[in-house]
Amino acid sequence: MVDSQQKVKSPKPVYRNIGLAQLIKYRLPWAGKVSILHRISGAALFLMLPFLLYLFDQSLASELSYQKFQALTGNVLVKIICLGLIWSFLHHFCAGIRYLLLDMDIGVEKLDANRSAIIVFSLGLALTAIVGLKLFGLF
């Protein structure tokens, strides 16, 4: 009788945490990637807020400070930083609209959620490319 009871027991499932080496191989769905990028873009916007306020102050204080602002933003490195901030804002904005729609139960099915995540990712990059072309004087 003891043997029959042992055969009925199933082995307990083993749950393992993902190690750092396994993170490279782990594939997130598009919704997960957009979610992580939404958090990163929000943190970048928050951390760069003093820089943005400084640029805003320099552009509005006086005519001389506006000329300093133009000289500062004429630097390629500052333009690249601004382009990163522009991407952060545009991605955060588009993903925020997606999350508002998800909160209203619009597009919560797996296929729709995947499609909307791809649209948000693509739209953020496309809008950033358009603004980047204008920023670098190519458009």
Side-chain angles (χ1 to χ4, degrees):
M1 181 142 171
V2 174
D3 291 333
S4 64
Q5 288 179 353
Q6 288 178 353
K7 290 179 184 178
V8 173
K9 284 186 176 181
S10 62
K12 291 184 180 181
V14 178
Y15 300 105
R16 294 191 174 109
N17 293 333
I18 296 176
L20 290 176
Q22 295 170 328
L23 283 176
I24 297 169
K25 297 176 185 175
Y26 188 76
R27 291 189 51 204
L28 278 175
W30 279 103
K33 292 174 188 176
V34 168
S35 175
I36 289 172
L37 289 174
H38 181 73
R39 292 170 189 241
I40 290 170
S41 64
L45 287 172
F46 177 74
L47 293 175
M48 294 302 283
L49 191 60
F51 176 68
L52 292 172
L53 290 175
Y54 170 75
L55 288 180
F56 185 64
D57 179 53
Q58 289 298 310
S59 69
L60 296 178
S62 67
E63 193 172 321
L64 181 62
S65 68
Y66 181 71
Q67 291 172 354
K68 284 186 198 176
F69 168 76
Q70 284 182 325
L72 178 67
T73 56
N75 187 352
V76 175
L77 181 61
V78 175
K79 284 185 180 183
I80 291 172
I81 291 171
C82 287
L83 188 64
L85 289 172
I86 289 166
W87 171 82
S88 294
F89 173 74
L90 292 171
H91 177 79
H92 200 76
F93 180 77
C94 294
I97 291 173
R98 176 181 180 263
Y99 291 129
L100 285 174
L101 291 174
L102 288 174
D103 285 344
M104 294 187 295
D105 289 333
I106 298 172
V108 292
E109 288 78 27
K110 189 174 183 177
L111 183 63
D112 294 336
N114 190 34
R115 186 177 299 132
S116 68
I118 292 170
I119 290 170
V120 163
F121 186 75
S122 302
L123 189 62
L125 287 178
L127 290 173
T128 303
I130 292 169
V131 173
L133 289 173
K134 180 69 175 166
L135 179 67
F136 285 97
L138 302 173
F139 183 61

